[in-house]
Amino acid sequence: MPAVNRTTTCAVLASAALLLSGSAARADIVPGGNGTGSETQVTGDSGGQSVSATAGAVVFDRSKNGTGAAAGPVTAASTWTPPACWYAPKYTPAQLQAYLEPIWEAGSTGSDWDAGQRDRYVNGEPYKDFNKDKTGKGYFWDSYVNETFPPGWDECQEPVFWVDQGEAPPADIENAVTPEILAQLAYAEIRVPSTEVDLAPQGATKVNLPTWAWLDGAEFKPVSVTASVPLLGIQATTTAEPVSLTLDPGTEDAETYPASGVCDLTGGRIGEPYAKGKADRTPPCGVRYLRASGARAYPLKATLTWKIHWTGTGVPAQQNLPDGTFGAEQAVVVQEIQAVNR
């Protein structure tokens, strides 16, 4: 059984307290402290770049992330999801002692469990006297959770374990923080712009009239988030780049341009703005409605696909993560073309 009782809420998790020195570009991490691994939020600014740090000793630099009220997180195009919990440094030997001994003295976890914990951390099975002879040479690691508590947040049940400074965490412990895990955590922090498209005609379109759709390429540039653990000297940068737009007209009584409904990013833009003189052309990206929307509007959904990759400490080549998508709906009114008899 792990050294922390997680049967109620994450509020019983001990966390790392982070102290940001005068310049937030440098984080002095002090493992240990009270609260959950996601409650404590420390923010600062360095050179105009926003930097925030969670109590899990992971620092996120979001200065190159997407912004704006309509920006949102990408959803992986597969069943993959970023880690809901992970392991990172949390205690010095003295801090683990200060955390565990009051629990044992209270006796609320049962004598058998307490005895097993004493054996593990005091009696040399495998740690002697909380590893105090290694003070300054490493840290005890424990779990932290995503503050939104997604499915799987309670699956990190490994007992608190020791890692020597400069050594990699045990290979058999899943989600022990590494550059790859940092890249996955950064994935969850990616925010991309809204995908509401420009349409022509504006306002209402007509039955059987091609409606042009496009996105302002200036708003759809690569975005990135860097996650780091200053205490360990590791980091990873996850980057999302727009690659295509998928149009769903919101009704079966419609055709898309191209027929697949997928408009690729070309020349730094998706689609092509309508201009005078293009009325007889087929739009490179758009839709043609075959029936009027009547008293309602069709919910046109535009979903942008982002190719996502990362680089990190000790990783010589760019690595891929699952593509992400982000979409938005907008109402399109479709009217019948009115014939005038003279």
Side-chain angles (χ1 to χ4, degrees):
M1 181 176 181
V4 180
N5 183 354
R6 298 180 175 83
T7 57
T8 54
T9 71
C10 227
V12 299
L13 292 173
S15 72
L18 288 102
L19 302 176
L20 294 182
S21 60
S23 169
R26 175 174 176 270
D28 294 317
I29 313 296
V30 182
N34 299 315
T36 73
S38 54
E39 283 178 342
T40 306
Q41 197 75 324
V42 182
T43 61
D45 183 81
S46 174
Q49 294 188 349
S50 297
V51 178
S52 67
T54 71
V58 176
V59 178
F60 294 102
D61 180 350
R62 304 181 182 89
S63 61
K64 297 180 181 178
N65 207 5
T67 59
V74 294
T75 299
S78 64
T79 57
W80 177 88
T81 58
C85 63
W86 64 93
Y87 298 94
K90 188 173 285 191
Y91 308 103
T92 64
Q95 287 165 342
L96 183 61
Q97 179 181 13
Y99 169 63
L100 285 179
E101 285 188 340
I103 296 176
W104 299 340
E105 291 171 2
S108 60
T109 51
S111 59
D112 289 345
W113 185 80
D114 290 350
Q117 293 293 290
R118 290 181 188 275
D119 285 342
R120 177 174 175 82
Y121 298 108
V122 179
N123 299 330
E125 301 178 17
Y127 308 114
K128 181 72 173 178
D129 192 23
F130 296 98
N131 258 12
K132 287 181 180 177
D133 61 328
K134 288 191 172 185
T135 297
K137 300 178 181 179
Y139 298 97
F140 282 103
W141 289 37
D142 199 6
S143 63
Y144 297 93
V145 299
N146 183 311
E147 63 183 1
T148 64
F149 302 100
W153 70 266
D154 56 348
E155 292 180 1
C156 292
Q157 295 289 328
E158 293 287 344
V160 176
F161 57 93
W162 178 267
V163 178
D164 286 330
Q165 191 169 350
E167 296 295 322
D172 61 340
I173 295 184
E174 187 176 1
N175 288 1
V177 73
T178 60
E180 183 174 6
I181 292 297
L182 288 176
Q184 295 173 11
L185 294 175
Y187 187 112
E189 299 297 318
I190 289 287
R191 296 295 181 268
V192 296
S194 168
T195 54
E196 183 170 336
V197 295
D198 292 308
L199 298 174
Q202 295 180 343
T205 188
K206 306 297 183 183
V207 171
N208 290 319
L209 177 68
T211 300
W212 293 58
W214 68 94
L215 287 171
D216 182 356
E219 296 181 7
F220 290 89
K221 297 179 179 179
V223 299
S224 66
V225 172
T226 297
S228 64
V229 181
L231 192 68
L232 302 177
I234 59 174
Q235 70 171 28
T237 298
T238 299
T239 300
E241 300 182 59
V243 291
S244 63
L245 175 75
T246 300
L247 294 178
D248 180 350
T251 174
E252 294 183 356
D253 295 315
E255 297 175 349
T256 57
Y257 305 102
S260 63
V262 179
C263 308
D264 292 326
L265 178 71
T266 304
R269 69 183 183 187
I270 293 178
E272 182 181 322
Y274 178 78
K276 186 177 180 179
K278 296 182 178 180
D280 294 332
R281 290 177 49 188
T282 298
C285 183
V287 60
R288 183 167 70 96
Y289 287 97
L290 308 178
R291 181 173 298 186
S293 57
R296 58 189 179 88
Y298 291 127
L300 171 68
K301 185 172 184 179
T303 301
L304 204 63
T305 296
W306 298 76
K307 184 175 181 59
I308 301 179
H309 54 82
W310 68 277
T311 57
T313 304
V315 180
Q318 178 177 291
Q319 306 293 313
N320 292 326
L321 285 169
D323 289 350
T325 61
F326 183 63
E329 288 187 355
Q330 58 198 96
V332 177
V333 175
V334 182
Q335 301 172 337
E336 294 282 1
I337 296 176
Q338 299 297 317
V340 179
N341 296 319
R342 295 184 184 276

